[in-house]
Structures are given as structure tokens and as C-alpha cells.
Amino acid sequence: MRVGILGGGQLGWMTVMEGKRMGFKFSVLDHDPESPASKVADRWFPPERVEDFIKASEVITYEFEHIPQEVLEKVYDLTIPSVNLLELKRSRIREKEFYRKEGYPTPDFIISSGDRLSEDIKTFGFPCVVKAEKLGYDGKGQYRVFYSEDVDYILKNHHSEEKFLVERLVDFNFEFSLIGVRDSRGNRKIYPLTVNYHEGGILLYNSTRALQIKEAEEILLSLMENLNLVGLIAVEFFYTWDGKVLINEMAPRPHNTGHYSLDGCYTSQFENLLRAVCGLPLGSTRLKAPSGMVNILGLSLEDISLQELLSVDGSKLYWYGKSKKPRRKMGHINITATTEQELEEKIERLLNLIYSHEPS
Ligand code: AMP
């Protein structure tokens, strides 16, 4: 199969690596020839050469959401999952309104704009989380508001006409995600649940948990049908102290909380994405052993000790080869163990090893 990937980040990189194992050929569309996936693909195209990228591909998929409209229009017919799904992801407001309209549970929210933000928040109540409508991921454009003065800081960074989603700050017990895959015949599979730990809005680590939350599974299965999805979907949830399940957001592509599946499951999320979009049978999503992942944020290979990290039994390093920037996702370590308790201990060790080496 000749597969085109929109976006050259690490999600594309892992998709290419998994697909190459199966003899697939890849083209990547990204402005940067040095992006992780551009470097390992068979062919790289900049956005100006989207027509050539289309000619080189039998099917196209995407690994990030913020793809320019003019590119989406051109790749529309060949792209799976449908480009229409990205409409929901272009605006945090549109996404949350969709959940509300369709009756899926989310944190309570209102929609506001820069000129009304202070007044609207006073009426809505503190504490809340203010999220800029556009280009939001990894906690970007997101602010926690405890006092009226906190709004001044937000307004300094945004235009008065900009729209915002204002959500109740959820005091959750834990965050978790579920990843599902659906093929064009409607067959569906769900990956094991993972519990996720974020810091400053960015995923720091996650681990599988032998825990079934029926309500969340039903939401995931229903979303796959409702969106007529072919491909992958990841849904991030909050689990509240009183046992409620609330959707934070979804992503119709491979997800950072599914990286563990490369080593922990019979079929990784990347392989199953390729199987789904190429019309091949879906692979087993079963867990081989308790598994987890630790993100390496804002560090170079020189800042970490491979001697120490790889001495943790069951650890596997994935390095994306990007230039170092503060808090940037530079790589990750997948880790497997024989029990959940052992897994937690190993993750703790990895976190200490990675982040105690951070240069001052
Ligand atoms: P997001 O960029 O919306 O995925 O948010 C990133 C992270 O910020 C989430 O995984 C949570 O840890 C936190 N967060 C986002 N929205 C809320 C909320 N309404 N209440 C509490 N924490 C939140």
C-alpha cells in the first residue's frame, strides 16, 4: 500500500515505522523535511506540492488536526478518517457543543469572548478553566481562573474579539483515556484503559489499568458510530470523585496515551490505524502485560542517561530526533511489567531518572 500522511510529527513517525515493517510505502506532507516522519518516509512533500503528494498516495490519513483548509479541500476524497471530523477539532467550542447536542457528558461550560470574559466568568463562577477556541493542544491557550484578576492575564495574550470556552474546573479523582478503532465494515475494537497524568496540561506518563468503566466504553463505541469513523479515535475522560465520567476531548488519530501499545499490545494503535484505513482486518488490541509510557519533555539525549534508563527491565526508548525546546515532546519510554504494582514502581524510577538529570 502507498499511504500518505498529513503531518510529520512523532505520531506519523511511529505510523511509518510500523507500516514499513509490513512493506507499506509512505509519503509525508509537512513543511519541514527534517520533521520525524519526513525523515523516515519514502517521500516527503511540502504543502505547495500537495498535488504530487496525492498522486503518490493510494490512501491518505492524518497525524495532527491543524491542517490548512486549502490542503484539506484537495485531499478530501482520499482521506480516512473523513476530513469532516477535523471540523469538530478546529474549534474547542464546536467540539464541546457537539457533545452537548448529542447528549454526551462533559464538564459544565459556557462560551464567551474577550470583551465579555470578566462578566461571564463572574456569573459562571470560580474556579474555571478558560480555553482559547483555536489551536489548543497540550494545554496551550488554556488558563485556570481562581480570581477575577486572573482574567487580566488572559486578555493580555488574546484579542478582545477572540472566543473562549469557559469550563468548570473539574476536581477529578483521575484522568483516563480509551482508544478505539473501527473499520469500514463497522467492526470495532477498544484498547485497554489507561490512567493518565498530566503536568501543566501536557501528558507526563500513563499506564494501563485492569479497570472497566462501562459508561466510558459505551461513549467511545457510540462516538465511533455517530461520527461514522474509519480509523482511530482517542477519548480523554475525567473520572470524578462521585463516580461521574466526563469527556475532556477526543482526537481522531493516534494518541500519546496509546504509545504503550507498541510494546504492550498484540497490535499497536499505529498498525491498527493502517489496517483500518487500508481495508485490512483489525488486529487484536489485547494487552500482553501491564504497560505504560513516560514522556521525555524538553530534554536532549545528552540530558538523560541511557545507561540508567535502559537498565530498567522492560524499558524501550523511542527518540523523535527533534530540536530541543522547553517542554517539547522529544521522545518517550515504553515500559512493561508483570504486575500493575511493579509497573508503577518502574514508572516512578524512570521519572526520577529522567527528570533528576534536567540541567539547572
Ligand atoms: P486539554 O488541552 O483540554 O486536553 O487539557 C489538558 C489537561 O488540562 C487535561 O488533561 C487536564 O489535566 C487539564 N484540564 C483541562 N480541562 C480541565 C477542566 N475542565 N478541569 C480540570 N482540569 C482540566
Side-chain angles (χ1 to χ4, degrees):
M1 285 296 290
R2 286 178 291 112
V3 179
I5 302 182
L6 298 162
Q10 62 268 15
L11 300 170
W13 175 70
M14 285 177 267
T15 308
V16 171
M17 305 288 258
E18 281 285 87
K20 281 201 157 183
R21 182 172 50 75
M22 301 193 290
F24 289 28
K25 299 278 182 219
F26 289 93
S27 297
V28 162
L29 188 86
D30 192 288
H31 65 273
D32 182 5
E34 293 300 311
S35 74
S38 307
K39 282 195 287 192
V40 292
D42 299 280
R43 302 183 72 182
W44 162 77
F45 297 95
E48 309 82 79
R49 291 190 57 208
V50 60
E51 310 285 359
D52 295 326
F53 167 76
I54 293 169
K55 273 189 215 131
S57 311
E58 288 168 89
V59 63
I60 294 172
T61 191
Y62 43 84
E63 62 103 49
F64 89 135
E65 283 124 20
H66 305 290
I67 303 159
Q69 189 59 33
E70 56 279 15
V71 170
L72 288 182
E73 280 165 19
K74 293 194 173 131
V75 299
Y76 191 95
D77 290 343
L78 272 189
T79 303
I80 308 177
S82 163
V83 162
N84 297 337
L85 294 188
L86 294 178
E87 281 302 306
L88 281 182
K89 293 302 300 179
R90 283 186 176 282
S91 151
R92 279 173 152 154
I93 293 174
R94 207 173 301 154
E95 182 179 349
K96 282 274 153 60
E97 282 183 323
F98 165 79
Y99 299 138
R100 182 176 271 172
K101 181 167 116 305
E102 299 292 324
Y104 296 111
T106 67
D108 190 16
F109 70 88
I110 56 163
I111 293 147
S112 184
S113 57
D115 51 352
R116 298 196 325 257
L117 196 59
S118 297
E119 283 312 303
D120 285 349
I121 290 179
K122 266 186 213 141
T123 317
F124 184 67
F126 302 91
C128 59
V129 182
V130 174
K131 299 179 179 180
E133 179 182 23
K134 302 257 160 81
L135 285 181
Y137 56 92
D138 284 347
K140 291 190 179 110
Q142 189 185 121
Y143 310 87
R144 289 177 175 216
V145 175
F146 295 91
Y147 310 101
S148 9
E149 301 83 74
D150 297 338
V151 179
D152 301 340
Y153 176 76
I154 303 175
L155 296 176
K156 274 197 197 114
N157 289 309
H158 295 270
H159 294 296
S160 58
E161 321 83 73
E162 228 175 295
K163 282 175 139 187
F164 295 94
L165 181 72
V166 180
E167 285 180 4
R168 199 70 68 208
L169 178 71
V170 180
D171 176 24
F172 49 78
N173 180 341
F174 58 88
E175 286 187 82
F176 70 99
S177 57
L178 285 177
I179 296 176
V181 59
R182 182 174 180 271
D183 69 17
S184 58
R185 291 171 290 275
N187 297 310
R188 299 171 300 187
K189 285 182 189 285
I190 300 185
Y191 279 90
L193 177 151
T194 68
V195 175
N196 310 327
Y197 298 86
H198 292 80
E199 223 180 61
I202 303 183
L203 181 71
L204 185 59
Y205 64 98
N206 75 324
S207 55
T208 57
R209 198 69 63 80
L211 178 67
Q212 249 200 325
I213 303 181
K214 267 253 149 310
E215 191 185 340
E217 287 187 2
E218 278 160 17
I219 290 172
L220 181 80
L221 292 169
S222 156
L223 271 173
M224 285 198 261
E225 289 307 314
N226 201 333
L227 299 169
N228 198 16
L229 174 91
V230 177
L232 285 176
I233 186 170
V235 184
E236 291 183 64
F237 296 94
F238 300 126
Y239 193 84
T240 66
W241 290 100
D242 52 354
K244 281 204 204 87
V245 167
L246 304 173
I247 301 180
N248 177 33
E249 62 172 358
M250 66 92 176
R253 52 159 173 79
H255 197 252
N256 197 170
T257 64
H259 289 1
Y260 79 89
S261 65
L262 279 166
D263 298 295
C265 293
Y266 285 91
T267 318
S268 73
Q269 60 167 349
F270 307 99
E271 179 172 341
N272 257 337
L273 168 68
L274 291 170
R275 289 184 183 219
V277 304
C278 294
L280 297 167
L282 298 180
S284 166
T285 52
R286 256 190 36 234
L287 193 64
K288 293 186 203 163
S291 302
M293 186 266 347
V294 180
N295 266 337
I296 302 176
L297 304 173
L299 297 171
S300 68
L301 276 177
E302 291 71 44
D303 299 327
I304 56 176
S305 162
L306 295 193
Q307 281 294 341
E308 291 174 342
L309 292 174
L310 299 183
S311 73
V312 180
D313 190 41
S315 67
K316 297 277 288 274
L317 175 69
Y318 293 81
W319 194 257
Y320 314 145
K322 302 194 288 197
S323 56
K324 176 171 149 176
K325 285 191 196 155
R327 319 259 316 132
R328 190 176 204 191
K329 289 174 179 166
M330 302 295 294
H332 74 265
I333 293 199
N334 276 353
I335 178 81
T336 46
T338 47
T339 63
E340 284 184 3
Q341 193 191 332
E342 187 193 306
L343 179 65
E344 294 311 318
E345 287 163 10
K346 285 181 174 176
I347 289 177
E348 183 79 39
R349 258 173 73 204
L350 289 169
L351 284 167
N352 284 331
L353 289 172
I354 296 167
Y355 293 103
S356 64
H357 281 270
E358 195 162 0
S360 51

